[in-house]
Amino acid sequence: MGTKLKTLLPLLLLALLSLSTLCTTSQAKEDPKLKECRRQCSQRPRQQREQCEQWCWEQHQQREQEGECERERGQEGNCRKAEKHLEQCRRQCEETQYGGQRQQCKQQCQKRYEEERQRSRGQEGERGREQERGTGSDRDPQERMRQCKKECREQHGERQARWQCEQQCEERERCREHGGRDLNPRRWEEEEEGEERGGENPYVFKREHFKHKLRTEHGNVRVLTNFAKRSKLLLGIANYRVVLIELNPRTFVLPNHWDADDICYVVKGRGTVTVLKKEEKQSHSIRQGDILKVDAGSVVYVINSDSRDKLIIAKLVNPVSTPGKFETFFGAGGENPESFYRGFSDEVLEAAFNTERDRIERVFGKQRRGPIVQASEEQIRSMTRETSEGGQHWPFGEGGRFGESRGPFNILKKRPTYSNQYGQLHEVDANDYRPLGELDVKINLANISSGSMEAPTYNSRSTMIGVVVGGRGRVEIVCPHLGKQSETGTGRSRGRYGDNEDDDDDDDDESGQHGQKGQRYRTIRANLSPGTVFVVPAGHPFAEIASRDENIQIMCFNVPAEKNERIFLAGRNNVMSKMEREAKELAFDASAREVDELFNSQREQAFMPGPESRRSPRGGGRRESHGFIASVLEAAAGM
């Protein structure tokens, strides 16, 4: 009986394979490109054949979807948009999922694609019905308003939501007189949400703005969205990317290299970084506060040697190949992660290694555990035995030579530039750690005590990329660009002078009809928590405030660093106090005594009590009607 089963089993498998091929062939409608692709797959090594055929089938499905788009005339834009989302989703599955999970991920992508196509068809029908009802721009404004408010009453049951919707109807009608936008209330709300995500707050990035580049059960690598794609206001740092690495206890990141230079900051934990270059190997112990530069093309592997805590690293990445984009290359590995060695033909590998194909496949076909794996205590002890101690600190680097350290430099070991009971500011530049000069980067770490704030300030030349590494608080950024956009868009500028006027061109006259308009500003306000990233362009005033209950720690990359100065706008070292008496009177149209009383009231410098600590019960609160920005200015002035 066993012999018969052994004889029949191959025949049964062959029959099933033939049936599967027959089914997929009939579904593919004899697509010649699919047949040719499968023929080429049959010539590849057995381990790669299944993956190759899966790729062929996905390409066939994509061609069919493109054909469907072509057939559905009148919806080309929506179809192309859905296709783009599908392609991005599949690419993310390739980058972040492995094995069976990757296939499930792609199936979910296909499902979302079909749902999006269905929604687009429904929207086309809705637009047609709107045209039949006559809600277009040629209608009478009062009729449009009545129709808009009617839809608000139908769509919103709660009184507050209905009132907000009606307010939007009125505001949109006013905007329509200056250029107009789509009147559908639901679409208006979607536009508002889109502006909040990118248009009106392009400087603050939350967790959802990161995408996984690598992920396993033992850790992940997340990359922040490209700055330039978020807003054209961030074009100056378009070539930089922010990366967060999070590794579970006792884990090992497989050796890999990036086509990018990067500056690493250890947010939490301890471990080992090993860097392999042309003819040398460097292993460094790392711990919280360490800074380390890794050159593009260096083979790197990381170990979290702690048995309890995670290792978290923040990176500023500067791609050297494609502006704003970088890739991870795994030489070590196998099927998961796929080794780039497997991209070479068999004959090239046989010649390169001077060995047979079977032996090569045995080495590069075993790894299936992913790019981040668990390591035993004995393995970690062996790999970390010959590491150099990190944390070289001011004023001596390795070998005692000023600024020459090639190993890690610990920012916490350097004396703070500013320090008082309200906070400390540590700064490290190329004079402390020379590799920072190669990328023209400066790093600072602010630790702001609970209930305190850093004085309003700005950087003369550097754009500051802040990463919250601990605690909670908030930030305020004063921006002139968004003040101009609000004049031509929603009309909700925080500007103090003049009426709303068109200002599409940055070089337009800003003096106004009677010379009273002046510059207009918008204040970006955002809550901060661990993992939040925010950007402050050069010249933009900003203030960082800790929450009432806990300190906040903010690590910042400043680029470019050369010749940058931090200008304080309040406190004992504020720049305004340096003006002559006559300049103060002309600038503020007030007596120099009044100006001096304001700017000299705050005797602390750099860090001071925050708005929360200045609230007083007298009079029902301290000028609450002026809003939060007024309380920040009062705190900065010490009033």
Side-chain angles (χ1 to χ4, degrees), residues 210 224 242-244 265 267 313-316 444-446 464-470 528-535 544 552-557:
F210 285 86
L224 187 65
V242 173
V243 176
L244 292 181
Y265 176 82
V267 175
I313 300 173
K315 285 190 175 189
L316 182 68
N444 56 267
L445 177 68
M464 189 183 83
I465 304 170
V467 181
V468 181
V469 297
L528 303 177
S529 58
T532 301
V533 175
F534 64 95
V535 177
E544 299 167 343
I552 188 170
Q553 296 84 39
I554 303 172
M555 186 276 299
C556 300
F557 300 106

Side-chain angles (χ1 to χ4, degrees), residues 308-352:
R308 293 177 297 177
D309 293 331
K310 289 185 175 183
L311 175 62
I312 301 177
I313 300 173
K315 285 190 175 189
L316 182 68
V317 177
N318 186 24
V320 298
S321 178
T322 305
K325 295 183 179 181
F326 68 96
E327 296 295 339
T328 305
F329 299 84
F330 285 95
E335 293 187 4
N336 179 20
E338 184 176 11
S339 169
F340 55 69
Y341 283 108
R342 293 166 65 95
F344 292 105
S345 62
D346 292 336
E347 54 266 28
V348 167
L349 290 178
E350 289 174 358

